Amino acid sequence: MSHIKCSTFKRSTKNNFMTKLTRLKLSKKLWRDMKRKAVFFSVLTVQAEGSDDSCVTFVLHDEDHTLGNSLRYMIMKNPEVEFCGYSNTHPSETKINFRIQTRGELPAVEPFRKGLNDLSGVCQHVLNTFETSMKTYKEQKEEAMD
């Protein structure tokens, strides 16, 4: 019987994305749900006893294919990553198992963190581009009305 080492960590995030969303007209329930999700990011790491840090499974709670596929794409861009994949445990459960295996001595946590940061940067760029386009559109609309 193999033993499994588990550890859990929570990371508090300070996210400008949530403050920018307040400018949009959101229902109070949707806003609370989104704010709750953005404030704490909970991850459980699972690793078989005797294995090194280059092969780890992360269990992401309250997540689905939206984050899983995007994060997998960002992590697979790293040449040090040998394997990266995810699976939903069950359609009625809102968690995914996210597995990363790296080449050499690089711990699997590093590409996971880098992938999350890179994905956050891409989302921030999309949000900034959207806001700029909306501002330009509104200015053009106002000029046309004058």
Side-chain angles (χ1 to χ4, degrees):
M1 179 177 198
S2 72
H3 298 285
I4 296 176
K5 178 177 80 173
C6 295
S7 60
T8 305
F9 63 94
K10 285 190 177 186
R11 183 177 64 118
S12 179
T13 59
K14 206 173 190 182
N15 199 342
N16 290 336
F17 182 70
M18 294 310 296
T19 57
K20 290 177 182 181
L21 281 177
T22 57
R23 296 180 196 149
L24 301 173
K25 306 246 189 255
L26 298 176
S27 70
K28 288 182 181 179
K29 182 183 182 309
L30 180 62
W31 165 247
R32 273 186 306 218
D33 291 345
M34 292 176 74
K35 187 174 179 182
R36 178 183 52 82
K37 217 171 179 186
V39 172
F40 290 102
F41 184 73
S42 177
V43 177
L44 172 74
T45 60
V46 180
Q47 187 176 1
E49 187 175 305
S51 67
D52 58 356
D53 290 337
S54 67
C55 189
V56 178
T57 299
F58 301 92
V59 181
L60 302 159
H61 295 276
D62 296 324
E63 298 298 342
D64 57 9
H65 292 289
T66 305
L67 178 68
N69 197 31
S70 304
L71 186 58
R72 183 196 60 77
Y73 173 77
M74 297 303 283
I75 291 173
M76 282 304 294
K77 290 169 65 174
N78 187 339
E80 289 295 315
V81 175
E82 186 174 1
F83 173 79
C84 181
Y86 75 96
S87 64
N88 279 2
T89 55
H90 190 272
S92 66
E93 292 182 14
T94 58
K95 69 178 181 178
I96 58 174
N97 293 331
F98 200 90
R99 185 155 179 91
I100 300 175
Q101 183 173 345
T102 61
R103 295 181 175 94
E105 299 294 319
L106 181 70
V109 174
E110 294 306 316
F112 183 69
R113 285 186 183 143
K114 184 177 180 335
L116 286 170
N117 288 331
D118 292 348
L119 186 59
S120 178
V122 167
C123 291
Q124 190 63 47
H125 173 72
V126 168
L127 182 63
N128 291 341
T129 304
F130 174 76
E131 287 179 343
T132 303
S133 297
M134 286 298 296
K135 184 178 178 181
T136 304
Y137 172 76
K138 287 179 182 179
E139 288 171 357
Q140 289 174 352
K141 190 176 177 181
E142 287 176 3
E143 288 176 8
M145 294 181 92
D146 291 339

